[in-house]
Amino acid sequence: MKNRNKTLLLPLNIVRTPNSNLVLLRAVLNKEFTRIDFGYIAIDYYVRGGWIRISSETYLRVKGEQIKYVLTHAENIPIAPEVHHFESTKDWQYFSLFFPPIPQHDCVIDIIEEENPDDNDFNYYGIQLDMSAAEEVIQH
Amino acid sequence: MPINKKAYRRYKVIDACLRNKMRPFPTIQDLIDAMEEKLDVNTTVDTIQKDIAAMKLPSPDGFDAPIKFNRSKMGYEYTDPDFAISGVSLNSIDIDAIKEAIDIINSIGGSRVSEKFSHAVEKMLSSVREDLSPQARDRKIIQTDAITDARGFEHFDLFFSACRERIPVNFVHYSYSKRKFKTITLHPVVLKEFENRWYVIGHSETHDQLRTFGFDRIYGPEILRKTFIETPAHVSESYLNDVYGVFPLRDGEREQIIIHTSPLITNYFRAQKIHPSQHIQINKYGDALISFELIPSMELARLFISYGNQLKVKAPERLVKFIESYRS
């Protein structure tokens, strides 16, 4: 399960706090990239659900390492300053962020969009990646 | 020398004429007329004779076609009645059957069959296209209410293969009613279409039971290398056969459902059963008590509600209450 040639999928389902309308769904690890899948649910607070985007400086770090794995690209979410406007307060968006490959072993990672975040930024801390819970993906 | 496209199209017309059981032994003039009709070109006797000679040449220059002039019938024929230049022996009856099948597939093709199947249909269409008149080609005989561009339909091939090969799939599911995302690992059993929407049904590891997921709510499916959890046939059959639609109400058991219908609505249920268990008891004024043995489902409730005050649910009480809450 720890072979770098494999693509590993870790179901995570971690809801952001305190604003629970963002959920980190899965991590996909292989030798070419690290992909993190998210789900975002628009809320009533903003007119027509507001908008979302991701900072180009977003990075991923592995606890105990000094390396910053900086965002390489994103799917289904624009990179700032572009934004995705929702049409209503009942909309939702599934999106993926791609980073350089991280080691395929048990580790704890943080995802940092803003160094000094507010509750709306896409920051996650202390995500445990337990390789024994990983599933191998068959390429298709 | 390779056969050029124009010549090949003429050979196809000659081949079709020679295999036409309704008009056997075509003459040279019949073949010229067929060229004009099918290809909209004027052809000479000389060209037809050269084409026949070329078709008789051994492969790869020709097709080794066993064409012979039958003196008693005063027309041409294949001495081997199963011969066809395409390599597949299709007579006119076979082609008619294929045309009908293609017509059906083509009319439902947009959304109900995958892109892969559509390509196959297109290939099949092009192979018999020269046997069809332009009017027959374009005229649509069958119309269905298939919807194109349905969200999630791009997953059809992946789930079809996963069901066939028995491979688990991980995906993200968004629930419209709960407004929540969740990661699901599914051991898919069957794909089901209902009211122009596609669903995958299988054992959900997340729920530890058989569940249904609409393609339109599925994101990022990934096929997994892991042991497939089999669903016993009797479980999936019950799930599929005892439900009208796709989403059984929570903890639903098969039970007797009784409705009362107005004379107008009774006609629709008499014309077409919605389930094999349907039983109608008609009253003298044309209204009816109709019973079913079914697991109550969202779609059944929606169907009943769609008839407004012309249909009243009498039992079970749980379904009566569900419909009342749905209406309010």
Side-chain angles (χ1 to χ4, degrees):
Chain A
M1 195 57 86
K2 301 190 174 54
N3 188 329
R4 284 300 299 256
N5 291 326
K6 290 179 178 175
T7 296
L8 302 181
L9 183 150
L10 291 107
L12 296 167
N13 294 309
I14 304 169
V15 176
R16 181 180 64 179
T17 54
N19 288 357
S20 60
N21 62 325
L22 180 71
V23 54
L24 193 163
L25 294 158
R26 305 184 292 192
V28 176
L29 280 55
N30 67 24
K31 65 177 180 179
E32 288 165 3
F33 58 78
T34 302
R35 191 184 90 206
I36 311 289
D37 298 332
F38 294 88
Y40 181 94
I41 297 157
I43 53 174
D44 294 342
Y45 183 78
Y46 300 106
V47 176
R48 286 183 169 266
W51 49 261
I52 55 168
R53 68 184 184 191
I54 191 75
S55 164
S56 61
E57 293 177 11
T58 302
Y59 67 92
L60 185 155
R61 69 183 173 210
V62 179
K63 193 174 179 182
E65 283 188 11
Q66 298 300 313
I67 306 167
K68 276 189 178 180
Y69 297 91
V70 180
L71 182 74
T72 56
H73 64 289
E75 283 181 2
N76 298 325
I77 186 169
I79 291 174
E82 302 293 315
V83 295
H84 169 78
H85 286 280
F86 291 111
E87 291 180 69
S88 83
T89 57
K90 299 293 180 281
D91 280 3
W92 68 94
Q93 188 76 1
Y94 166 78
F95 65 91
S96 302
L97 304 183
F98 289 80
F99 303 92
I102 61 169
Q104 286 187 356
H105 57 62
D106 291 355
C107 60
V108 176
I109 63 167
D110 299 328
I111 296 168
I112 311 292
E113 188 189 22
E114 290 293 335
E115 295 290 356
N116 299 303
D118 61 29
D119 293 343
N120 293 316
D121 290 317
F122 293 177
N123 283 32
Y124 270 87
Y125 300 95
I127 305 158
Q128 301 233 2
L129 300 186
D130 174 7
M131 295 304 145
S132 67
E135 308 278 11
E136 188 189 344
V137 173
I138 303 171
Q139 297 301 312
H140 56 91
Chain B
M1 196 173 84
I3 299 163
N4 72 48
K5 194 177 168 187
K6 280 185 182 173
Y8 182 72
R9 294 182 73 201
R10 290 199 305 274
Y11 300 162
K12 291 271 290 176
V13 172
I14 295 169
D15 174 67
C17 292
L18 293 173
R19 286 185 293 107
N20 187 350
K21 300 280 189 255
M22 305 304 289
R23 295 184 65 184
F25 308 107
T27 63
I28 291 271
Q29 188 56 50
D30 291 335
L31 296 174
I32 289 171
D33 293 345
M35 294 293 173
E36 193 173 345
E37 186 190 337
K38 308 281 186 192
L39 305 180
D40 200 20
V41 293
N42 291 317
T43 318
T44 63
V45 173
D46 189 45
T47 302
I48 297 289
Q49 285 174 333
K50 281 179 180 167
D51 284 347
I52 289 173
M55 289 170 72
K56 289 165 80 170
L57 289 173
S59 178
D61 297 323
F63 298 94
D64 220 354
I67 302 172
K68 187 186 159 194
F69 186 78
N70 186 318
R71 291 189 185 282
S72 62
K73 302 287 184 183
M74 295 302 288
Y76 288 90
E77 66 173 341
Y78 279 140
T79 52
D80 173 1
D82 291 333
F83 182 83
I85 64 168
S86 61
V88 180
S89 300
L90 297 175
N91 60 31
S92 57
I93 296 163
D94 295 332
I95 288 172
D96 282 345
I98 289 170
K99 283 180 202 164
E100 285 175 24
I102 288 173
D103 201 13
I104 293 167
I105 295 168
N106 212 27
S107 62
I108 63 173
S111 74
R112 294 194 191 180
V113 292
S114 73
E115 199 177 324
K116 185 169 62 181
F117 296 152
S118 295
H119 286 318
V121 168
E122 188 51 41
K123 276 203 300 199
M124 184 69 91
L125 272 172
S126 57
S127 75
V128 297
R129 189 149 286 184
E130 276 141 28
D131 297 322
L132 298 170
S133 67
Q135 292 87 347
R137 232 179 279 161
D138 300 333
R139 190 158 48 101
K140 196 164 182 160
I141 308 292
I142 297 165
Q143 184 174 10
T144 63
D145 59 351
I147 312 292
T148 55
D149 298 331
R151 185 168 64 211
F153 188 70
E154 66 273 16
H155 306 319
F156 184 96
D157 281 353
L158 184 144
F159 280 111
F160 181 81
S161 300
C163 288
R164 191 180 54 194
E165 310 293 333
R166 293 153 62 236
I167 302 171
V169 181
N170 181 279
F171 57 84
V172 169
H173 179 256
Y174 178 73
S175 163
Y176 292 157
S177 55
K178 294 177 188 158
R179 297 199 71 220
K180 274 188 178 171
F181 285 98
K182 194 179 253 184
T183 303
I184 305 284
T185 295
L186 188 78
H187 300 254
V189 176
V190 69
L191 303 184
K192 181 169 178 172
E193 190 215 16
F194 187 77
E195 292 177 344
N196 282 316
R197 292 178 190 274
W198 279 96
Y199 302 85
V200 57
I201 297 166
H203 176 86
S204 165
E205 272 188 39
T206 317
H207 303 89
D208 195 25
Q209 62 180 195
L210 210 59
R211 294 294 279 251
T212 303
F213 298 93
F215 275 14
D216 55 328
R217 283 149 271 186
I218 288 175
Y219 297 91
E222 301 278 6
I223 51 178
L224 304 178
R225 189 185 304 283
K226 67 181 298 189
T227 307
F228 188 81
I229 298 174
E230 298 284 354
T231 300
H234 71 275
V235 174
S236 56
E237 278 167 19
S238 168
Y239 190 90
L240 289 164
N241 299 336
D242 295 345
V243 176
Y244 174 83
V246 280
F247 289 114
L249 299 185
R250 197 164 295 279
D251 305 321
E253 295 282 327
R254 183 180 152 123
E255 57 191 319
Q256 189 177 49
I257 295 167
I258 302 171
I259 58 173
H260 177 258
T261 51
S262 70
L264 173 66
I265 300 305
T266 302
N267 293 329
Y268 294 106
F269 283 89
R270 290 179 79 183
Q272 186 174 319
K273 284 185 174 185
I274 66 161
H275 188 259
S277 68
Q278 177 179 308
H279 176 76
I280 301 184
Q281 185 188 322
I282 300 177
N283 299 324
K284 63 181 177 183
Y285 296 112
D287 59 322
L289 277 176
I290 306 177
S291 65
F292 313 90
E293 293 292 331
L294 278 172
I295 299 169
S297 64
M298 282 297 299
E299 292 75 18
L300 188 70
R302 245 183 20 223
L303 176 75
F304 291 166
I305 289 166
S306 72
Y307 289 118
N309 59 10
Q310 308 252 6
L311 184 153
K312 200 168 180 82
V313 180
K314 310 292 277 185
E317 191 58 28
R318 198 166 75 98
L319 185 59
V320 173
K321 284 186 175 157
F322 179 82
I323 287 177
E324 279 172 6
S325 68
Y326 200 87
R327 277 183 166 139
S328 59

